[in-house]
Amino acid sequence: MKGERRWFAVGTQPGRETVAATHLQRQGFTCFLPMHVRTVRHAGRLSTQRGAFFPGYLFVALDLRTDRWRAVNGTVGVRHIVSAADRPVPIARGFVEKLQSTVDASGVIRLDIRRQKGDKLTLQYGPFAGMVGEWDRMEGAQRVRVLLNFLNGPVPVVVEAGSLL
C-alpha cells in the first residue's frame, strides 16, 4: 500500500524560518513558509519588513512511509517536527492548501478581506473551530473581531483573519 503525502508543522529556531526552509529544500523536501509584510518603527523611521506569518514555524510535505522524515529534526535552523508519541502529527487536510491559495507572486499572504458587519463566518481552527459567528470589525492588520453566541448573547472573540471561512 502506497503512503500519502501530508503537510506537517516544523518548529524552527527563533528568526531562522527562512534558513530552515532553504536547508530542507536542499535535502529535497517540499516546504511552505507563509510570509507577511509588516510596518516597523525603529529609530523614528518606518520601514516594511517581511516575516513569517507563523513565527517559529513552517510546513513540510511528507510521506511518512517513504520519506526520511527523521532527517528534518537534524536540519540547520530546525528545532523539531511537531510530534506526538514520537510520530509527526499531520496538519488538518486543506489548511495549508487554503493558505497557499492566498499567497501572491512574492510569497506574501494576502488576506483581501471584503466583509461587512454581520456577515456569517465559520471558524476553521482553534478552540472555537466549527462555530459560526458574525463579522464585527478588523483588529489590526491580520486579526478580526467576531461575535459568537454564548450564554444567551454575543461574545466578542478576536481571531486570526486566516482562520475564517
Side-chain angles (χ1 to χ4, degrees):
M1 181 172 153
K2 186 178 178 186
E4 83 181 282
R5 190 162 299 280
R6 297 280 306 270
W7 287 102
F8 295 85
V10 173
T12 66
Q13 294 169 348
R16 310 245 322 175
E17 300 88 357
T18 304
V19 170
T22 299
H23 284 277
L24 286 167
Q25 289 168 342
R26 285 182 184 162
Q27 294 178 59
F29 293 109
T30 301
C31 296
F32 175 58
L33 175 57
M35 304 293 280
H36 72 109
V37 176
R38 62 188 175 140
T39 303
V40 177
R41 180 184 303 268
H42 179 71
R45 295 183 183 203
L46 292 176
S47 65
T48 57
Q49 297 177 350
R50 286 173 46 121
F53 191 75
F54 300 107
Y57 291 92
L58 60 86
F59 302 100
V60 64
L62 299 169
D63 180 340
L64 295 183
R65 293 178 179 225
T66 61
D67 290 335
R68 300 174 302 107
W69 61 267
R70 284 184 171 83
V72 170
N73 288 333
T75 301
V76 174
V78 170
R79 282 185 303 128
H80 65 279
I81 187 167
V82 177
S83 304
D86 295 328
R87 196 85 173 140
V89 178
I91 300 295
R93 292 183 193 277
F95 175 75
V96 173
E97 291 81 359
K98 182 172 175 152
L99 280 175
Q100 287 174 321
S101 72
T102 66
V103 173
D104 67 13
S106 67
V108 174
I109 289 186
R110 299 289 181 202
L111 299 175
D112 296 329
I113 300 172
R114 295 182 184 106
R115 302 277 186 179
Q116 296 179 5
K117 190 170 182 143
D119 285 353
K120 299 289 184 200
L121 310 158
T122 303
L123 280 81
Q124 295 301 301
Y125 61 89
F128 304 110
M131 295 189 72
V132 176
E134 287 185 14
W135 176 276
D136 189 35
R137 67 176 181 249
M138 289 297 295
E139 291 277 336
Q142 303 292 329
R143 314 271 299 162
V144 176
R145 180 176 154 157
V146 177
L147 300 176
L148 299 176
N149 281 320
F150 281 123
L151 306 172
N152 300 326
V155 176
V157 177
V158 178
V159 298
E160 292 178 23
S163 70
L164 302 170
L165 180 64

